[in-house]
Amino acid sequence: GRRKEKFLSSNFLEGLIYDAIDDVVRENGAKLNRNNRVPYITEHALEIIQKKLPLPLVVEHIVCKNIYFAFLKEMLQQGALTDEKVFNLLDQFYHLALVTKEEDLRLDAAGLRTRMVTSGEWDLTDPFIRYRTIQLKLVPNPYYLFNSEKGVIL
């Protein structure tokens, strides 16, 4: 029914993930924000942050969340969901990037909002294929809170 659909929605599941990460970060005296919660960033988005320009940035899922949330939902419906499977799935697919609004719109224009490739099925190997398709380069985010060079909180 409707209640079951709510708990299986990608927004609900993503909210749970974000809240869990935020709780751990706060327990360690830090604060999670848009600029420090993503491991990847485009060069233009990085420039906007560094110059403190008032331009919109978007937190983008590198792998379309509908893809891995479908795996989670399937495992849940089959009664096969375990902590280890959730961790492995999120470790493999839950990666974020900070992009400009314009760059986000380029993904949409290329038909890559909810798809990894424009034709056929994605082979699950290259998580950056959408960005390569539109020739958008992602670089490591120097502000990323969990960067091992900074002394990871976790």
Side-chain angles (χ1 to χ4, degrees):
R2 190 172 179 180
R3 181 174 292 154
K4 183 178 179 182
E5 287 176 19
K6 174 188 173 193
F7 292 114
L8 294 178
S9 75
S10 60
N11 287 338
F12 180 77
L13 294 172
E14 184 178 14
L16 289 176
I17 294 165
Y18 181 85
D19 289 346
I21 293 168
D22 188 49
D23 286 346
V24 171
V25 169
R26 287 180 187 273
E27 287 172 8
N28 286 280
K31 185 175 182 196
L32 202 58
N33 64 48
R34 180 195 64 189
N35 297 349
N36 69 12
R37 75 181 191 121
V38 297
Y40 299 97
I41 191 168
T42 63
E43 292 172 341
H44 191 214
L46 182 57
E47 181 182 346
I48 287 170
I49 291 171
Q50 290 172 335
K51 292 182 178 178
K52 297 181 179 166
L53 299 174
L55 297 172
L57 299 176
V58 177
V59 174
E60 173 63 30
H61 290 260
I62 292 173
V63 174
C64 304
K65 64 183 178 181
N66 61 302
I67 292 170
Y68 54 93
F69 283 161
F71 291 137
L72 285 172
K73 286 166 65 171
E74 184 179 326
M75 285 187 280
L76 185 61
Q77 290 168 338
Q78 294 173 353
L81 194 62
T82 65
D83 292 347
E84 183 179 359
K85 287 180 181 179
V86 170
F87 177 82
N88 290 337
L89 194 64
L90 294 177
D91 188 50
Q92 182 178 1
F93 296 123
Y94 188 77
H95 303 287
L96 304 172
L98 195 56
V99 302
T100 66
K101 183 63 177 168
E102 176 187 272
E103 292 163 339
D104 188 50
L105 292 173
R106 283 175 50 199
L107 284 168
D108 288 353
L112 298 170
R113 166 62 41 216
T114 60
R115 302 178 64 181
M116 293 297 288
V117 294
T118 55
S119 62
E121 290 290 318
W122 178 49
D123 64 7
L124 305 177
T125 58
D126 181 6
F128 300 100
I129 195 160
R130 294 190 309 148
Y131 300 90
R132 291 189 218 298
T133 300
I134 64 168
Q135 299 168 349
L136 184 61
K137 183 180 178 186
L138 295 176
V139 298
N141 180 358
Y143 301 103
Y144 184 47
L145 197 58
F146 304 104
N147 186 333
S148 60
E149 296 168 12
K150 291 183 176 184
V152 181
I153 286 179
L154 297 176

